[in-house]
Amino acid sequence: MLDITNVYKSFNIGTPVQKDALNGVNLHLDKGDFVTVIGGNGAGKSTMLNAIAGVFSVEKGNIKIDGHDVTREQEFKRAKYIGRVFQDPLKGTAGDMWIEENLALALRRGKRRSFSWGISSKEREMFVELLKGLDLGLESRLSAKVGLLSGGQRQALTLLMATIKEPKLLLLDEHTAALDPKTAKKVLDMTDEIISRSHLTTLMITHNMKDAIKYGNRLIMMDGGKIIYDVSGEEKKNLHVSDLLLKFEQASGGEFANDRMMLAK
Ligand SMILES: Nc1ncnc2c1ncn2[C@@H]1O[C@H](COP(=O)(O)OP(=O)(O)OP(=O)(O)O)[C@@H](O)[C@H]1O
Ligand SMILES: [Mg+2]
């Protein structure tokens, strides 16, 4: 479903502050893989997801989604394959629009602008069912402005919007990091449920090592713009946080440095 081959990406090339963020990344994901991504600050995790989404072009290498070579495709063109949720709850939704308008927008993604804005009763029924599944009481608030929702409610809605069309690839960049611990757990469990229900191929960056072990069928660790550790199946399930720290030290020759990761419970 995803093939990344030998991808390099640098910022500020040729200046004293040049940063080589991706240094030959290779990654192959099978359909239905749910991969958690961890690593120190500046390891290249977000850059890898941004490279896949086409936020910028890469200097070298090749990116394929479900067999389509998207390496030279612009962000809006490959958006049809990808659902994304970021850390900032304000990013994925339109705050001055209603809940149902946001969902309709997500449903019409990739369609012509001239497409009718009317929401059919069938669509409304579908939205109610989806919102019921979140168990946040949003199903009775279809015409509430999204800007009035809490961060957790808004992130849950963003998740619905990102997955409503069953994307070939779901990219989550610390999407629960800005939420309080209880809400974060709820949104994370919701994420897990949606992913397994639709067998979505997913990359989820998290700063919480326990979550990285608990969720998904595979875990990758990044450092210095490379994938330095890749573990799946039973071996992943049996990992402990201490194993991850040891692996990091062995593979990188240094201590694991990620302020948020070290503080996460
Ligand atoms: N747009 C940009 N311009 C310049 N440098 C950038 C840009 N985006 C990322 N970088 C640099 O590339 C490196 C990798 O950053 P990236 O955001 O991918 O790290 P990360 O692994 O997501 O870290 P964190 O855990 O802190 O989110 C960092 O040194 C960062 O400063
Ligand atoms: Mg990041």
Side-chain angles (χ1 to χ4, degrees):
M1 193 49 88
L2 175 71
D3 267 301
I4 304 181
T5 314
N6 209 24
V7 162
Y8 285 78
K9 174 69 194 176
S10 299
F11 295 103
N12 307 314
I13 294 175
T15 74
V17 288
Q18 174 165 338
K19 185 74 217 177
D20 302 326
L22 297 179
N23 282 308
V25 172
N26 288 286
L27 180 66
H28 169 90
L29 298 194
D30 288 324
K31 187 172 172 2
D33 267 347
F34 177 3
V35 182
T36 56
V37 184
I38 61 169
N41 294 122
K45 306 180 295 297
S46 298
T47 304
M48 180 173 76
L49 262 57
N50 287 334
I52 297 167
V55 174
F56 39 66
S57 58
V58 298
E59 281 99 60
K60 212 176 138 187
N62 188 273
I63 301 170
K64 278 185 187 164
I65 300 174
D66 197 19
H68 304 275
D69 191 333
V70 298
T71 317
R72 308 264 160 259
E73 246 180 46
Q74 279 185 284
E75 186 174 12
F76 77 92
K77 277 201 100 181
R78 43 179 124 166
K80 61 176 176 284
Y81 304 125
I82 298 170
R84 306 188 74 180
V85 188
F86 303 91
Q87 184 172 339
D88 184 353
L90 304 183
K91 257 193 171 172
T93 44
D96 55 353
M97 287 169 74
W98 293 350
I99 290 180
E100 66 172 21
E101 289 172 331
N102 270 274
L103 286 166
L105 204 61
L107 202 59
R108 288 172 188 32
R109 215 173 52 154
K111 293 230 172 97
R112 282 168 178 276
R113 277 268 181 95
S114 58
F115 194 82
S116 155
W117 265 102
I119 296 169
S120 70
S121 52
K122 212 173 141 205
E123 284 174 342
R124 202 163 273 131
E125 272 171 39
M126 173 194 174
F127 297 161
V128 167
E129 280 316 303
L130 284 171
L131 291 166
K132 267 188 193 160
L134 299 183
D135 198 20
L136 295 169
L138 296 181
E139 63 274 15
S140 58
R141 299 176 63 191
L142 284 181
S143 49
K145 284 240 172 107
V146 166
L148 299 175
L149 303 181
S150 71
Q153 289 172 329
R154 203 153 163 173
Q155 233 21 5
L157 182 64
T158 307
L159 198 60
L160 273 194
M161 290 171 62
T163 54
I164 199 164
K165 302 254 315 241
E166 298 201 359
K168 292 189 185 298
L169 205 56
L170 179 62
L171 303 178
L172 308 170
D173 191 348
E174 303 204 36
H175 70 304
T176 61
L179 308 175
D180 67 81
K182 207 175 137 203
T183 313
K185 180 169 189 316
K186 198 164 177 182
V187 173
L188 215 44
D189 285 336
M190 209 175 271
T191 306
D192 192 35
E193 202 187 299
I194 291 173
I195 290 169
S196 37
R197 194 195 313 142
S198 305
H199 308 288
L200 297 177
T201 311
T202 304
L203 278 169
M204 180 174 90
I205 300 174
T206 172
H207 65 264
N208 186 310
M209 294 202 226
K210 279 190 194 148
D211 288 341
I213 294 169
K214 179 176 169 193
Y215 296 97
N217 64 310
R218 184 171 163 195
L219 177 154
I220 59 176
M221 185 186 278
M222 290 188 75
D223 183 55
K226 282 190 176 149
I227 294 170
I228 58 165
Y229 179 53
D230 187 339
V231 61
S232 53
E234 283 305 306
E235 196 186 345
K236 169 182 182 287
K237 269 188 218 148
N238 295 325
L239 282 173
H240 295 280
V241 170
S242 55
D243 301 324
L244 287 181
L245 292 173
L246 192 64
K247 285 284 174 199
F248 185 86
E249 279 164 31
Q250 286 169 347
S252 75
E255 249 183 52
F256 197 91
N258 184 322
D259 29 1
R260 274 166 302 147
M261 205 164 254
M262 294 327 259
L263 290 169
K265 289 260 157 49

